[in-house]
Amino acid sequence: MSRGTRRGLAALVAAAALLAALGTVFTMTRSSAAPATPTTASAAVGGAKVECTSKKPGLAPELSRDIAHALHGRQGAAALAVYDRDTGTTCDYKAGTAFDSASVVKVTVLGALLRQADEAHRKLTPKEVELTTAMITKSDNEATSALWRQIGEDGIKQFLSLAGMRHTVPGADGAWGLTQVTASDELKLMELLTRKNTVLSAHARGYALDLMERVAPDQRWGTPAGVPGGTTTHVKNGWLPRENNGWRVHSVGAFTGGGHDYGMAVLSQGNRTMDYGVDTVEEAAEVIHRDLAEAG
């Protein structure tokens, strides 16, 4: 075999080896870029379960366990729902259970008004700006009643239908605080406010989130408990004492900026005091913030 032939064969062998190596690298790169398969885990709390699903390895069992631990032994009844877009995570605990809404329904009232304004291709009037600001930032009840009457039951129901909040039932005879809500539907509303959709315009979503960001300092308890630094918090709380099932204490929140994009709804009733209900909500919120922050 001539020297030239040997050189040619060596070149072919080297080229073949290089192609094989490149194929291996390509296969490994393509494999590593494949989306993670979601995993589901659950943990028991009494006779129910906290169930979480996540694309982030190890996060679902950690969240379900920690939420269950936070709720274990708490008096009364609680429900929650969570989403985190970055890790493809959701959590659910009795999220279909109905509760008297108290003031968390005020975000729904705001959404319904903004939808009507969008449909009419108009801005909010100065009076509507005054009423919505008082309703969300100060939880003003008179402002809420005025807007509830203006929107009308049909307007509220139309918004609920468009938003996919099919288990929310408006309170009868103007009793907006007795609207029946679920953690699942409240979370849908938080998701609606924080992503592009056909129900609310970008301007409407921005307006709602701005008001929820400016809630009065003494009403910023609940789901913001334990929120990571640098995160923008959008919150609305509700509290209502009744003869049956004690205090209703609820909190819904969306958390954006600083690399975060998640939300939660925590509802409770049967609390002996308002403070006890706040503690229940905050103990659950704290572990959710912590686990999502560590996973990020």
Side-chain angles (χ1 to χ4, degrees), residues 51-134:
E51 185 168 279
C52 296
T53 298
S54 181
K55 293 181 180 179
K56 184 78 172 182
L59 182 56
E62 182 178 30
L63 263 174
S64 59
R65 181 185 64 246
D66 290 346
I67 293 171
H69 180 75
L71 295 176
H72 179 73
R74 302 299 297 176
Q75 295 180 0
L80 64 78
V82 179
Y83 73 84
D84 177 41
R85 291 194 178 99
D86 293 334
T87 58
T89 299
T90 60
C91 289
D92 176 308
Y93 174 68
K94 294 186 177 180
T97 302
F99 293 76
D100 295 332
S101 67
S103 289
V104 292
V105 75
K106 293 172 180 177
V107 184
T108 298
V109 175
L110 176 61
L113 176 67
L114 292 170
R115 172 64 190 188
Q116 287 185 339
D118 278 349
E119 288 181 344
H121 305 289
R122 68 171 181 86
K123 296 180 180 180
L124 296 186
T125 67
K127 184 61 176 179
E128 288 170 337
V129 170
E130 177 187 339
L131 291 173
T132 53
T133 301

Side-chain angles (χ1 to χ4, degrees), residues 9 22 64 88 95 98 150 156 182 187 189 219 235 269:
L9 286 174
L22 288 173
S64 59
Q150 175 183 323
I156 297 291
T182 66
L187 192 70
L189 185 53
Q219 295 182 24
V235 65
Q269 67 179 18

Side-chain angles (χ1 to χ4, degrees), residues 106-124 129 132 135-136 159 189-214 234:
K106 293 172 180 177
V107 184
T108 298
V109 175
L110 176 61
L113 176 67
L114 292 170
R115 172 64 190 188
Q116 287 185 339
D118 278 349
E119 288 181 344
H121 305 289
R122 68 171 181 86
K123 296 180 180 180
L124 296 186
V129 170
T132 53
M135 177 176 69
I136 300 298
F159 176 73
L189 185 53
M190 296 302 101
E191 291 183 278
L192 191 72
L193 292 176
T194 53
R195 64 173 171 81
K196 185 177 180 180
N197 61 81
T198 59
V199 181
L200 292 173
S201 66
H203 175 77
R205 298 194 306 273
Y207 182 81
L209 290 172
D210 177 66
L211 291 182
M212 294 173 70
E213 185 182 348
R214 294 191 286 117
H234 316 275

Side-chain angles (χ1 to χ4, degrees), residues 2-295:
S2 68
R3 183 179 301 173
T5 302
R6 286 198 300 270
R7 282 200 300 268
L9 286 174
L12 286 172
V13 170
L18 177 59
L19 286 172
L22 288 173
T24 301
V25 171
F26 176 73
T27 301
M28 290 176 65
T29 303
R30 182 170 57 183
S31 175
S32 65
T37 302
T39 59
T40 299
S42 63
V45 183
K49 289 183 178 180
V50 178
E51 185 168 279
C52 296
T53 298
S54 181
K55 293 181 180 179
K56 184 78 172 182
L59 182 56
E62 182 178 30
L63 263 174
S64 59
R65 181 185 64 246
D66 290 346
I67 293 171
H69 180 75
L71 295 176
H72 179 73
R74 302 299 297 176
Q75 295 180 0
L80 64 78
V82 179
Y83 73 84
D84 177 41
R85 291 194 178 99
D86 293 334
T87 58
T89 299
T90 60
C91 289
D92 176 308
Y93 174 68
K94 294 186 177 180
T97 302
F99 293 76
D100 295 332
S101 67
S103 289
V104 292
V105 75
K106 293 172 180 177
V107 184
T108 298
V109 175
L110 176 61
L113 176 67
L114 292 170
R115 172 64 190 188
Q116 287 185 339
D118 278 349
E119 288 181 344
H121 305 289
R122 68 171 181 86
K123 296 180 180 180
L124 296 186
T125 67
K127 184 61 176 179
E128 288 170 337
V129 170
E130 177 187 339
L131 291 173
T132 53
T133 301
M135 177 176 69
I136 300 298
T137 66
K138 300 177 182 178
S139 204
D140 186 278
N141 292 336
E142 291 184 5
T144 308
S145 295
L147 290 169
W148 185 271
R149 289 191 298 269
Q150 175 183 323
I151 297 163
E153 186 173 332
D154 288 344
I156 297 291
K157 287 182 176 179
Q158 180 195 24
F159 176 73
L160 292 172
S161 177
L162 291 171
M165 299 168 66
R166 295 179 176 82
H167 301 290
T168 300
V169 182
D173 301 321
W176 48 261
L178 298 183
T179 296
Q180 297 300 290
V181 299
T182 66
S184 176
D185 273 6
E186 291 300 297
L187 192 70
K188 286 180 181 179
L189 185 53
M190 296 302 101
E191 291 183 278
L192 191 72
L193 292 176
T194 53
R195 64 173 171 81
K196 185 177 180 180
N197 61 81
T198 59
V199 181
L200 292 173
S201 66
H203 175 77
R205 298 194 306 273
Y207 182 81
L209 290 172
D210 177 66
L211 291 182
M212 294 173 70
E213 185 182 348
R214 294 191 286 117
V215 164
D218 63 345
Q219 295 182 24
R220 297 185 69 80
W221 47 265
T223 52
V227 65
T231 306
T232 302
T233 295
H234 316 275
V235 65
K236 184 69 193 80
N237 297 323
W239 57 99
L240 175 68
R242 301 195 71 190
E243 290 185 7
N244 296 325
N245 291 322
W247 280 85
R248 281 74 167 153
V249 181
H250 314 316
S251 183
V252 298
F255 306 92
T256 60
H260 302 289
D261 186 3
Y262 62 96
M264 68 181 88
V266 187
L267 313 179
S268 71
Q269 67 179 18
N271 301 292
R272 59 179 179 265
T273 65
M274 178 178 170
D275 285 345
Y276 187 88
V278 172
D279 286 344
T280 295
V281 172
E282 292 191 342
E283 288 188 21
E286 286 173 358
V287 300
I288 293 168
H289 286 301
R290 183 194 67 207
D291 289 353
L292 291 178
E294 291 177 352

